[in-house]
Amino acid sequence: MSEHAWIDRLREVLGPAKVLTNIEDRIAYSYDGTFAQQLPDVAVLPESTEEVAAVVRIAAEYRVPVVPRGMASGLAAASVPFSGGIALSLTRMNRILELDEVNRTVWVEAGIITADLQAYVEARGLFYPPDPSSNKHSTIGGNIACNAGGPRCLKYGVTGDYVMGLTVVLPDGRVLRTGGKAIKNVVGYDLTSLFVGSEGTLGVITEALLKLIAKPQHVRTALAEFPSLDDASRTVNAILAAGVVPATLELMDETAIACIEEAMHLGLPLDVEAMLIIETDGSDDEAVRREMEVVERVCRENGARKVTVAQDEKERAQLWRARRSVSPSLARKAPNKLGEDITVPRSAIPEAIRRIKEISARHGLPIVVFGHAGDGNLHPNILFDKRDPAQWEKVEVMAGEIFGVALDLGGTLSGEHGVGVLKRPYMERALGPVSIDVQRRIKEALDPLNILNPGKVLP
Amino acid sequence: MALVPHPHISEDDYLHCIRCGQCLAVCPTYRLTLNETDSPRARVALLRAVREGLLERPTDRTAAQFFRCLLCGACTFTCPSGVTVDRVLELTRGEMAELGLLPQPLVALNQRIRESHNISAEPPESRLLWAQNLPAPPTGLGKAQAEVVYFVGCVGALFPRSYGIPQSFVQILEGAGVDYALLGAEEWCCGYPLAINGDLEGAREMMRHNLEAVRATGARTLVTTCPSCFHFWKHAYPAALEEDLGLEVRHATEFLADLLEAGRVPLRDDLPEQVVTYHDPCDLGRKSGVFDAPRRILRAIPGVTLVEMAENQGGSHCCGGGGNLESMDPALSQGIAARRIRQAAETGAQVVVSACQQCERTLFNAARAERLRLRVKDIAEIVLEAMRR
């Protein structure tokens, strides 16, 4: 017998093996990809929409918080159970339910790992483009709940652009199905979009119908070195103005380059202010090649000192190594990092980076900047040691100032990580009182008991 | 690097875990149970909770989580922050053992090794049973002096279904004219299982004995078919005994690759075509960096087409036989083996070759349990078959 009647009820419904109450298990379900931590009372491992619905009904009956969770790689503490209650893991719901090659859709359970889904459809010549860098250790359900992005989003769009329908367990335990395979659908409110990016506060996403496209057959990759950050930034706009939409357009500033070089010794230039990684792709090799020629020319015309175009897969991997090494290099440099995720209009990138550097200099803590320049999405990472209370205090101030930079320049708090709890204090400033009021009413309408991921997103 | 000598865990060992979750994608136990508790990230969080007081008093159940792990090192290989998770977990196991929390099956294993000097409580002379049904007694038997010592390891010497490995290896050595000695009854457990079960003193006793026995032969080279013995001899012996061994420690694959390339193992030219995939043993590949030698051997064998599994070399998936998990939780170990053998089957290969008696055994059992028509062989066996005699 456990101390809580509701835990006994969970055991009755799911069977004891899927209800974890030991302290060891509760610790395992107490964190995400941030430094935040709070123990749930129990972790549950349901294997079907029906089981999820049963859990939520019990939670509603006993007024117990439910925090849905995929692989907990999130960077905003959205899946940390700050109010205790039930950590609801969807990782065992990882089946592919249907691949429809004619309509080019795939219907999956929420807990499938994104990279596993991508490998499955790519083996059949199809393509699911959204590529958060966590795609090997995050789930489709988590990607949808945070509307995850990634480098390819400039050309292909974000997760939400590929969600055609959802199965959602509502906070009262009813099962809602939204959308469908019809491409055009204007009947009623767009509830699919309502749940995309809702971070588990409005319902538990258990299944998704996703749009697929044909897999691009050819890809070319270039790395361009810019002595001047302004030139690099101008190049981003010039490439797009020249009519080329690269699959990716990634920027690393001098802080990121120095950080990577220190950790990895890849031979990167330390006397440039920025590097761009640019990729063109498509189904026609000649067109992809021509686009890359335009990219190369535009880079040189706008002040690139050197442009290296990969000639084969091996060289391509080599060029990507720098960009992929950013996170590892950061992690080796300091015990903690706070990775922010602001977006600004593309033209404001140089100004944003200048202001962020000023914040770093003023507070005396390093900030490394890299990101998806093509869509104005920057990842300033503050490096610090949380054991030092003085540093932690500074980090909180610095984060607020970085958000201020984004908002002042006409951008916003988050491009792809989500709000969770970490960005909650800045929501009102970003959205204004009317938007917050509307969103509160939506939350209250769907979750009047406030049991679903309470304390997240909305201030 | 194994844990001997025993530094205690420091904050630096886990501080840089940023909980990104990348280790979940490669951890065989997590991928099987899909329960975060069975992930490297959770094991590090649990260690941290014990150290920092969130979990005040570790129990048997706490300790068990540190032993429900293969120590395969896939997490360490993938960790962006450079946390050496497998080493930290070895240390943690040691601390749990010091607290009297070693799980019962492992207490029994330690006791067996301490008393009998091998993992299965056999009398010492049983270590030579494998040599009995060879056409002729191995020339290395009872040899007092030799250039090379062949360290057979407990599983190869004592598990009848693994006898084929030392039998094949000595026949190749003899065909190549290598001057080698076997330690026979004087070979003891290398100490690895004790070290990862927290019995460091016991491990040191094994090491001292073995080193003396090898030195008595005057050999300059120690070769072993067991990747775990190899890893432990190569990395832990010098550290734990705090001396230069005066020996070159080599795995059988490195030794065989050299013999083949020197033309000392003539190969038949009438061999059938066969598609082969190679399974990297964790202690040989990821933990000791030996990836090429076995592949060079396989490519040298006429008729062999080598195909790779999707997860290979540094990213290889453990066979399920690592970290004493088999003693701790046989069902979990078997589930992991099943996953690996299915990966092998997906390559379309007819034969899975490994270079480890433990991998060979777990994968063989998995192929049977999964009803897959895949032959599982040790690399010494496939070389002997190909050798012109």
Side-chain angles (χ1 to χ4, degrees):
Chain A
M1 276 300 283
S2 67
E3 51 193 303
H4 296 300
W6 58 270
I7 295 180
D8 292 332
R9 291 280 306 281
L10 290 173
R11 289 203 179 98
E12 279 166 34
V13 169
L14 298 179
K18 296 182 203 167
V19 180
L20 312 176
T21 53
N22 294 333
I23 181 69
E24 290 79 10
D25 297 307
R26 291 166 58 211
I27 287 168
Y29 288 88
S30 66
Y31 49 74
D32 69 349
T34 65
F35 41 77
Q37 184 166 25
Q38 180 71 49
L39 295 179
D41 293 302
V42 52
V44 296
L45 303 170
E47 291 176 16
S48 66
T49 298
E50 292 69 33
E51 288 189 347
V52 172
V55 169
V56 174
R57 277 196 298 271
I58 292 168
E61 187 182 334
Y62 289 87
R63 311 287 195 264
V64 177
V66 179
V67 182
R69 181 185 187 280
M71 287 174 87
S73 55
L75 295 172
S79 63
V80 178
F82 289 102
S83 313
I86 301 168
L88 189 156
S89 170
L90 290 137
T91 50
R92 285 191 176 169
M93 291 185 63
N94 63 353
R95 289 175 302 171
I96 292 170
L97 300 172
E98 183 205 65
L99 176 72
D100 180 340
E101 298 196 42
V102 177
N103 288 306
R104 286 198 176 156
T105 59
V106 66
W107 181 24
V108 295
E109 290 184 328
I112 190 169
I113 296 173
T114 305
D116 289 351
L117 165 69
Q118 288 171 323
Y120 177 84
V121 300
E122 283 175 39
R124 289 152 182 84
L126 294 166
F127 193 46
Y128 173 74
D131 59 342
S133 63
S134 61
N135 69 342
K136 288 184 181 150
H137 57 282
S138 65
T139 63
I140 281 290
N143 290 177
I144 295 170
C146 295
N147 199 3
R152 281 202 290 251
C153 294
L154 171 62
K155 179 169 179 179
Y156 291 103
V158 296
T159 300
D161 295 321
Y162 292 84
V163 181
M164 297 183 73
L166 292 172
T167 303
V168 182
V169 173
L170 295 173
D172 59 7
R174 286 183 299 164
V175 176
L176 168 73
R177 291 181 206 280
T178 73
K181 287 184 186 175
I183 291 169
K184 292 178 155 182
N185 183 343
V186 293
V187 183
Y189 297 140
D190 183 358
L191 294 181
T192 305
S193 292
L194 179 62
F195 287 96
V196 171
S198 65
E199 302 187 22
T201 59
L202 301 179
V204 185
I205 297 165
T206 59
E207 292 169 8
L209 180 71
L210 303 170
K211 181 170 82 176
L212 303 172
I213 61 174
K215 187 174 179 233
Q217 298 301 311
H218 304 279
V219 59
R220 308 270 298 166
T221 306
L223 181 76
E225 301 172 9
F226 289 89
S228 144
L229 172 66
D230 285 329
D231 287 347
S233 184
R234 217 175 48 224
T235 304
V236 171
N237 294 308
I239 290 170
L240 296 165
V244 176
V245 183
T248 60
L249 221 172
E250 295 286 295
L251 176 133
M252 288 170 283
D253 89 335
E254 59 186 349
T255 58
I257 298 167
C259 187
I260 297 165
E261 195 48 31
E262 190 187 320
M264 314 295 289
H265 311 293
L266 301 178
L268 302 179
L270 293 173
D271 56 346
V272 296
E273 284 186 2
M275 294 201 303
L276 294 176
I277 293 187
I278 307 151
E279 214 158 72
T280 58
D281 72 356
S283 54
D284 174 6
D285 194 18
E286 199 41 52
V288 173
R289 193 178 295 269
R290 262 199 317 274
E291 283 191 344
M292 185 48 82
E293 281 165 14
V294 174
V295 166
E296 216 179 326
R297 179 174 50 76
V298 173
C299 284
R300 289 188 200 283
E301 284 170 4
N302 284 279
R305 185 177 76 181
K306 188 175 168 201
V307 185
T308 314
V309 180
Q311 296 305 316
D312 55 34
E313 196 48 46
K314 203 173 146 199
E315 286 185 24
R316 184 173 170 243
Q318 194 58 33
L319 294 188
W320 269 107
R321 222 179 134 202
R323 173 65 182 86
R324 290 195 209 282
S325 301
V326 177
S327 288
S329 312
L330 296 181
R332 280 162 210 254
K333 228 174 139 129
N336 299 95
K337 65 172 174 122
L338 184 66
E340 287 307 347
D341 175 38
I342 57 167
T343 61
V344 294
R346 272 197 299 268
S347 59
I349 287 175
E351 183 56 25
I353 292 178
R354 261 193 298 275
R355 293 194 194 182
I356 289 165
K357 279 189 181 162
E358 188 275 320
I359 293 170
S360 167
R362 190 153 36 81
H363 292 280
L365 282 179
I367 304 182
V368 174
V369 186
F370 57 96
H372 317 304
D375 44 33
N377 189 188
L378 294 177
H379 294 306
N381 274 253
I382 310 172
L383 306 185
F384 64 104
D385 186 340
K386 198 165 185 286
R387 291 170 300 175
D388 178 353
Q391 285 197 23
W392 176 233
E393 214 169 281
K394 277 188 197 171
V395 169
E396 291 189 301
V397 176
M398 290 167 80
E401 291 180 6
I402 291 172
F403 295 139
V405 168
L407 297 177
D408 288 348
L409 294 173
T412 193
L413 309 177
S414 175
E416 54 191 15
H417 295 173
V419 175
V421 292
L422 298 185
K423 299 185 187 81
R424 228 172 118 229
Y426 310 95
M427 281 288 277
E428 185 125 12
R429 185 173 163 202
L431 300 178
V434 178
S435 174
I436 296 294
D437 180 58
V438 170
Q439 297 196 33
R440 277 216 184 98
R441 284 163 191 266
I442 292 171
K443 168 74 174 169
E444 280 160 19
L446 283 166
D447 184 17
L449 300 173
N450 193 28
I451 57 164
L452 220 55
N453 209 4
K456 305 291 167 57
V457 184
L458 295 176
Chain B
M1 189 67 192
L3 86 162
V4 188
H6 190 350
H8 275 271
I9 302 166
S10 85
E11 203 181 15
D12 281 340
D13 289 321
Y14 54 80
L15 193 64
H16 286 259
C17 171
I18 52 168
R19 298 175 180 159
C20 63
Q22 291 191 40
C23 53
L24 273 66
V26 298
C27 173
T29 56
Y30 172 77
R31 289 164 73 187
L32 192 68
T33 69
L34 298 171
N35 177 1
E36 173 90 26
T37 314
D38 290 321
S39 73
R41 177 169 65 170
R43 293 178 187 120
V44 173
L46 189 57
L47 161 64
R48 195 166 180 162
V50 171
R51 305 290 287 194
E52 295 178 353
L54 178 62
L55 195 161
E56 279 174 25
R57 186 196 286 268
T59 62
D60 291 342
R61 220 175 42 217
T62 317
Q65 282 310 322
F66 299 117
F67 289 90
R68 271 172 68 85
C69 161
L70 300 151
L71 298 177
C72 72
C75 45
T76 299
F77 186 80
T78 204
C79 177
S81 312
V83 179
T84 53
V85 188
D86 55 328
R87 191 190 66 92
V88 174
L89 289 173
E90 285 180 10
L91 294 171
T92 311
R93 287 178 172 206
E95 290 205 350
M96 291 298 124
E98 279 176 20
L99 293 170
L101 297 174
L102 190 67
Q104 197 46 48
L106 303 180
V107 173
L109 177 62
N110 283 9
Q111 202 174 344
R112 280 203 299 279
I113 298 174
R114 277 223 177 205
E115 285 166 6
S116 67
H117 307 139
N118 63 64
I119 59 172
S120 42
E122 296 283 341
E125 53 278 12
S126 300
R127 283 200 179 263
L128 287 163
L129 289 176
W130 62 268
Q132 282 181 357
N133 60 347
L134 284 170
T139 58
L141 206 56
K143 205 185 232 182
Q145 295 284 306
E147 288 171 19
V148 175
V149 163
Y150 170 33
F151 194 86
V152 182
C154 293
V155 174
L158 296 167
F159 286 30
R161 70 143 287 114
S162 302
Y163 285 175
I165 297 172
Q167 285 173 347
S168 303
F169 192 63
V170 295
Q171 290 180 76
I172 301 166
L173 292 180
E174 288 174 15
V178 174
D179 172 27
Y180 77 99
L182 293 161
L183 300 180
E186 283 306 306
E187 181 182 312
W188 288 7
C189 166
C190 69
Y192 197 170
L194 291 174
I196 62 173
N197 282 345
D199 183 1
L200 303 172
E201 216 21 72
R204 275 207 188 84
E205 192 191 329
M206 304 294 138
M207 294 188 214
R208 280 191 211 104
H209 169 87
N210 285 327
L211 184 59
E212 256 172 55
V214 172
R215 280 185 174 154
T217 66
R220 307 297 306 191
T221 303
L222 178 132
V223 63
T224 174
T225 37
C226 170
S228 301
C229 295
F230 168 68
H231 171 64
F232 205 63
W233 265 97
K234 186 157 179 142
H235 299 114
Y237 271 54
L241 301 177
E242 293 174 345
E243 61 178 307
D244 180 5
L245 304 184
L247 275 175
E248 194 188 2
V249 176
R250 307 198 77 196
H251 185 256
T253 50
E254 299 175 298
F255 200 81
L256 285 178
D258 284 357
L259 288 179
L260 275 166
E261 282 156 18
R264 289 173 67 181
V265 182
L267 298 176
R268 290 160 46 187
D269 48 19
D270 59 342
L271 293 163
E273 297 288 322
Q274 52 183 336
V275 181
V276 173
T277 189
Y278 174 70
H279 166 81
D280 289 279
C282 304
D283 279 327
L284 185 62
R286 212 158 23 225
K287 294 197 175 185
S288 301
V290 179
F291 298 112
D292 288 346
R295 291 176 168 82
R296 268 161 44 213
I297 294 170
L298 291 172
R299 287 202 189 94
I301 298 175
V304 165
T305 304
L306 179 63
V307 292
E308 293 287 357
M309 287 182 256
E311 296 181 321
N312 63 67
Q313 304 198 48
S316 178
H317 184 289
C318 178
C319 71
N324 296 341
L325 183 68
E326 229 184 340
S327 307
M328 187 66 199
D329 188 339
L332 186 58
S333 166
Q334 284 156 18
I336 290 161
R339 195 182 174 101
R340 184 55 167 168
I341 201 74
R342 287 196 298 267
Q343 291 184 347
E346 279 166 19
T347 64
Q350 300 143 328
V351 189
V352 189
V353 170
S354 190
C356 170
Q357 68 295 322
Q358 178 75 343
C359 300
E360 195 272 342
R361 198 169 54 79
T362 46
L363 292 174
F364 175 85
N365 290 334
R368 236 177 11 184
E370 294 292 298
R371 301 188 171 278
L372 291 168
R373 293 184 63 81
L374 262 176
R375 276 169 290 151
V376 181
K377 285 182 187 167
D378 186 82
I379 197 155
E381 295 171 317
I382 199 167
V383 170
L384 182 68
E385 283 167 14
M387 193 167 85
R388 200 160 63 221
R389 289 190 280 170

